Amino acid sequence: MSLASWLGGVRASAQQQDGHRLRTLLSFDSDAALAVMQLAQRGVGIPASDVHRQLPSPWAEIITAYLQALLHFSKGERLAACKEYREHFAKALLDVLTDEAWVVPAMIGMAVNLKHLSEQADEEQAKKGVTSNQLGACAMLLASAFSKTAAAKIAAAEKRTASVAVACIMFKVYFKLNTINNCKNVAKSVDVTLKVYDVFDSAAAAHRVTFRYYTGRLAAYDEDFDTADKHLSYAYAMCHRDATQNQRKILRYLIPIKMLLGVLPSDSLLQQYQLQEYRDIKEAVRSGDVALLMRVLEANKAAYVQAGTYLLLEKLQLATYRRLFKKCALIHAELNPAKATQVPMALFQTALQIQGIEKDNADIQCILANLIYRKYIKGYLAYKNQVVVLAKTEPFPDLATVQLGDPFAL
């Protein structure tokens, strides 16, 4: 397709208010990209006069900026392409969005492209040893796009639905920038909008899944594990059955959350999604093998930290201690039925020694006190007799009821 034919397609899209077709035409692998590449090879600039002859304002200016960004991109000038795309194309498109809801699909495509282009620009500058923050600038423009959709008054329903898609892209940017706290206001704003206008179910399934994936991770970050479980479970259940990699990505966070709540993954699930990294951890929690858990965490610490799951997995230590102590309590009850609820601390200490873990009396008392305080165990410490006096009913409550978060957190 020639550049003239492509411009005709853009004109037709604008006249017919076909936002989906316009998004396709404005992608970075559109027919315009090939035409612009040929211009670059000939050393010719963008034919702005031809664009203005075929398109009315403001589309002539918008498309000229888009083509100029493509020209920089085809020359390998990622930073120049990013700035042109953001400052002249993206901002102008957002101005049109204010009154024209039909451009919503093109706006979402713009947001996706800007994110990728910003990442490439920063990578290009990093290779040159230059500090760049195009992704940060991208975040600021996305915030503007979000405000125009979430708080829209003209064609509000369609734009508010689009706010879910924009929020998803913002989450990805904020996580990449490691400014996760910025996600909270976005998530709160969308949730408020969803409750008031009930537009969540109108959003595309892919956007709903992505949104709940990130709000689930945010909840885990805030140690709200019930909400994390709810949102990540929704994302997993609603994820397309053929999107195996996305399901695996969700499960990487959902499985540790489930284990914290007392639900261990099946071996078949771990094998199906190639998540064998959790196999030994599952076995450690199931059997109360504290030493195995510590070895696995230490051996894979770098990988878990990079994946963002280390702190979640580290919290499984108390669940593993509890399982080991429960075994001790069961053995003690069989040997001393008359004093079944009075479990010697030394028994727990010996069990840890068998695993190769040396703890003095103070350490043992600290672990057991923590288990009781966080409701992993119902009972109290009798320091004089050096025993744990267990409650006569449900001494080991369901893990869903324990205090998983930091009780001293502000």
Side-chain angles (χ1 to χ4, degrees):
M1 180 186 293
S2 67
L3 185 59
S5 297
W6 179 83
L7 287 170
V10 173
R11 183 178 65 251
S13 298
Q15 290 172 344
Q16 298 164 13
Q17 297 192 345
D18 188 343
H20 292 284
R21 184 186 180 191
L22 183 62
R23 174 175 179 171
T24 300
L25 289 168
L26 294 177
S27 66
F28 262 56
D29 57 357
S30 67
D31 292 320
L34 179 60
V36 169
M37 185 180 298
Q38 293 171 346
L39 291 175
Q41 291 173 347
R42 299 202 309 266
V44 179
I46 300 300
S49 57
D50 292 346
V51 176
H52 280 77
R53 274 197 299 270
Q54 290 218 42
L55 298 173
S57 182
W59 288 106
E61 292 78 15
I62 292 172
I63 296 306
T64 298
Y66 165 77
L67 293 174
Q68 189 62 50
L70 270 184
L71 184 62
H72 286 302
F73 188 84
S74 66
K75 294 179 179 179
E77 301 167 351
R78 299 294 189 263
L79 180 60
C82 179
K83 290 182 176 180
E84 180 70 30
Y85 191 87
R86 183 183 66 244
E87 297 300 325
H88 299 110
F89 169 71
K91 288 184 177 179
L93 189 64
L94 287 182
D95 288 340
V96 174
L97 177 67
T98 302
D99 299 313
E100 303 286 347
W102 68 269
V103 301
V104 161
M107 182 275 296
I108 295 174
M110 173 274 291
V112 173
N113 291 336
L114 179 60
K115 171 185 173 291
H116 294 320
L117 194 54
S118 299
E119 290 172 336
Q120 292 178 29
D122 284 341
E123 290 170 4
E124 175 191 72
Q125 294 304 297
K127 291 178 181 178
K128 298 178 180 179
V130 178
T131 301
S132 175
N133 190 24
Q134 297 307 305
L135 198 58
C138 169
M140 294 177 65
L141 186 132
L142 291 177
S144 176
F146 180 75
S147 66
K148 285 179 178 290
T149 53
K153 295 182 180 179
I154 300 175
E158 187 175 357
K159 291 181 183 179
R160 287 174 184 146
T161 300
S163 71
V164 179
V166 178
C168 292
I169 303 167
M170 294 176 75
F171 287 158
K172 294 176 182 179
V173 171
Y174 288 142
F175 268 79
K176 184 73 177 286
L177 292 171
N178 198 28
T179 54
I180 298 174
N181 283 332
N182 290 342
C183 295
K184 296 178 182 179
N185 289 335
V186 177
K188 182 178 179 180
S189 178
V190 172
D191 280 332
V192 168
T193 301
L194 299 182
K195 289 177 182 177
V196 173
Y197 299 103
D198 193 25
V199 297
F200 190 66
D201 290 337
S202 301
H207 299 153
R208 284 184 277 127
V209 168
T210 302
F211 185 78
R212 285 305 174 210
Y213 164 73
Y214 279 105
T215 56
R217 288 187 62 183
L218 282 173
Y221 179 77
D222 286 338
E223 298 189 337
D224 182 356
F225 298 113
D226 288 332
T227 300
D229 178 30
K230 178 182 176 181
H231 289 188
L232 288 169
S233 294
Y234 175 92
Y236 178 67
M238 299 301 294
C239 189
H240 194 283
R241 64 183 181 182
D242 294 331
T244 306
Q245 289 303 313
N246 287 340
Q247 290 173 327
R248 183 173 183 267
K249 191 175 181 180
I250 295 166
L251 285 171
R252 175 162 276 127
Y253 298 95
L254 180 57
I255 287 174
I257 297 296
K258 287 288 190 184
M259 286 196 286
L260 282 168
L261 296 175
V263 181
L264 300 181
S266 65
D267 291 336
S268 59
L269 181 73
L270 296 180
Q271 183 174 359
Q272 178 182 352
Y273 291 100
Q274 300 177 16
L275 290 168
Q276 299 299 334
E277 66 218 57
Y278 292 139
R279 184 185 59 190
D280 289 340
I281 290 179
K282 168 200 169 181
E283 178 57 29
V285 175
R286 185 194 66 79
S287 63
D289 194 336
V290 179
L292 174 60
L293 179 66
M294 302 299 285
R295 286 198 303 271
V296 174
L297 288 177
E298 184 61 30
N300 300 283
K301 184 174 182 178
Y304 292 145
V305 169
Q306 185 175 11
T309 57
Y310 181 77
L311 294 179
L312 291 175
L313 296 171
E314 191 179 38
K315 287 182 177 295
L316 289 169
Q317 288 183 49
L318 285 178
T320 311
Y321 276 128
R322 175 185 120 132
R323 178 60 179 165
L324 180 61
F325 182 77
K326 186 176 182 180
K327 284 185 172 183
C328 294
L330 292 172
I331 293 172
H332 173 73
E334 288 185 10
L335 297 176
N336 300 279
K339 295 185 177 182
T341 60
Q342 300 178 32
V343 185
M345 298 183 196
L347 190 59
F348 182 55
Q349 189 175 30
T350 300
L352 287 172
Q353 288 173 343
I354 292 173
Q355 293 185 7
I357 299 175
E358 294 292 337
K359 296 287 186 182
D360 60 25
N361 290 341
D363 290 334
I364 294 297
Q365 291 174 9
C366 182
I367 293 170
L368 292 171
N370 205 9
L371 288 172
I372 292 170
Y373 180 75
R374 290 179 179 267
K375 302 179 182 179
Y376 282 90
I377 299 172
K378 287 171 65 177
Y380 63 89
L381 300 183
Y383 292 100
K384 183 177 180 180
N385 296 323
Q386 287 293 292
V387 298
V388 178
V389 181
L390 297 175
K392 293 183 179 180
T393 58
E394 296 186 351
F396 298 95
D398 192 305
L399 282 178
T401 67
V402 306
Q403 175 68 57
L404 292 170
D406 183 355
F408 300 106
L410 297 177

